[in-house]
Amino acid sequence: MHKTTANVNNKIWVFWDQKFSGTVLDHDEQQMTIELEHVEAHDPFQVTVIYAKCKPSMRILLWKTLRLKSTNCSVPWCVIGDFSVIASVEEKIGGLPYQMKRSIDFQDCGLVHLGFYGPRYTWSNSRSPCSIVWKTLDRVMVNDNWLSSFPTTTITHLASAGSDHSPLFLELHVRQEHKQKYFKFLNFWTENESFKPLVHQIWSTYIVGSAMWIFHQKLKTTSRALSVWSREQYGDIFQLPKEFEQKVREAEEKWLSMNVPSNRASLNEIQA
């Protein structure tokens, strides 16, 4: 990532790469709002990242800020993060009975809740089966302009690892006519005996054309050849983490549905 910023108490951090230009519009202890613009797009959009206080009385200022932004914002706007409160009784299992008056702020902010893939609950106190509590504390909400500009936005609740919260993965599906793919060179390739002969063979191939054109053609050929060669030599290095992420997700759902110590132990082993 090429750019980074944090809010006033360093509880919220946002990173973005060189494909975006970003401007911090405002921030406080519970939110940070950034306006982003992609290099290939002409219309900016705003993202507000939330890390709400646990006590309702301390969240009053946050909701006041969101209601004000909802009234004044005229561009696509997304609010994402940990709100420390559920929106309905269906978003909690275990613990004391829930008081719906705590969720009335969700109805007043003028934002729409987006759906999601993955487990329903994003937080757990990870206690024994008799005192375990699950809640949906993390969510994504957007305004009408966001729905018009990014109608196919998807949210996935990822497997929790190293935290009591599940990460939220937001994807903007924007149609791109020419998608540029970047080539990644891995240093350990050079330790393989077949690496240098392969590269030598490619660059020894006779090609007719201008020097610059020949150079770019050989670069593209090398990139494609090394991608195939790497998969043949090492397999897909990203496949194993993906498989374990799926296993963690399945173990979380199994623990959530059955709530027995053996399922919790299995989840901890897979996370490790």
Side-chain angles (χ1 to χ4, degrees):
M1 296 296 179
H2 297 79
K3 299 291 184 179
T4 179
T5 187
N7 71 326
V8 63
N9 59 354
N10 290 323
K11 294 296 181 68
I12 301 173
W13 288 78
V14 178
F15 304 82
W16 64 94
D17 63 21
Q18 59 187 0
K19 296 180 183 178
F20 291 87
S21 60
T23 303
V24 178
L25 300 181
D26 68 272
H27 61 97
D28 53 47
E29 290 189 349
Q30 300 184 80
Q31 65 87 27
M32 181 164 60
T33 300
I34 297 181
E35 185 167 87
L36 294 169
E37 184 174 348
H38 195 275
V39 294
E40 298 179 0
H42 301 289
D43 299 324
F45 60 91
Q46 294 181 13
V47 177
T48 297
V49 184
I50 304 295
Y51 187 27
K53 300 289 187 179
C54 294
K55 295 182 178 180
S57 60
M58 301 182 70
R59 293 196 296 266
I60 294 177
L61 179 60
L62 171 63
W63 288 109
K64 182 178 179 180
T65 300
L66 293 180
R67 285 192 290 269
L68 181 61
K69 289 182 180 295
S70 178
T71 303
N72 298 331
C73 186
S74 59
V75 301
W77 179 40
C78 169
V79 184
I80 181 172
D82 175 12
F83 287 80
S84 294
V85 65
I86 63 177
S88 65
V89 293
E90 292 80 15
E91 293 184 348
K92 179 184 178 183
I93 293 180
L96 298 174
Y98 180 68
Q99 300 177 3
M100 278 303 299
K101 63 180 182 180
R102 296 182 179 180
S103 301
I104 194 171
D105 291 311
F106 283 112
Q107 304 174 14
D108 298 335
C109 63
L111 296 171
V112 178
H113 293 249
L114 290 182
F116 58 87
Y117 297 94
R120 180 180 184 86
Y121 307 100
T122 64
W123 174 86
S124 170
N125 61 0
S126 300
R127 295 183 180 177
S128 62
C130 295
S131 56
I132 188 72
V133 176
W134 285 282
K135 293 182 181 180
T136 305
L137 300 180
D138 311 85
R139 69 186 69 250
V140 179
M141 300 188 297
V142 299
N143 64 356
D144 292 339
N145 289 328
W146 184 281
L147 293 176
S148 300
S149 300
F150 309 109
T152 57
T153 300
T154 60
I155 305 295
T156 304
H157 294 172
L158 302 180
S160 60
S163 173
D164 54 354
H165 287 261
S166 298
L168 303 185
F169 181 42
L170 182 150
E171 291 183 277
L172 302 182
H173 300 280
V174 181
R175 182 179 300 172
Q176 295 181 350
E177 299 298 332
H178 303 285
K179 185 177 180 180
Q180 185 176 4
K181 295 184 178 179
Y182 295 92
F183 173 68
K184 294 183 179 180
F185 183 90
L186 304 179
N187 291 332
F188 66 82
W189 284 350
T190 60
E191 300 174 2
N192 191 302
E193 294 181 355
S194 61
F195 171 76
K196 289 185 178 180
L198 174 63
V199 176
H200 184 268
Q201 177 185 351
I202 296 172
W203 285 83
S204 298
T205 303
Y206 180 72
I207 302 177
V208 178
S210 66
M212 184 59 67
W213 186 84
I214 293 174
F215 177 75
H216 284 293
Q217 290 301 310
K218 290 188 175 182
L219 277 181
K220 290 194 297 184
T221 303
T222 304
S223 173
R224 289 194 296 266
L226 286 178
S227 295
V228 174
W229 172 83
S230 178
R231 288 195 295 270
E232 293 175 349
Q233 296 289 323
Y234 304 100
D236 187 349
I237 62 174
F238 302 103
Q239 185 59 36
L240 191 58
K242 290 180 181 178
E243 292 176 358
F244 271 97
E245 286 178 359
Q246 179 60 28
K247 290 180 180 179
V248 169
R249 191 176 298 113
E250 293 173 354
E252 283 183 335
E253 293 176 354
K254 187 175 181 181
W255 179 35
L256 179 60
S257 61
M258 301 181 67
N259 193 17
V260 296
S262 60
N263 290 340
R264 181 183 181 185
S266 177
L267 172 61
N268 291 336
E269 290 178 0
I270 297 174
Q271 286 179 327

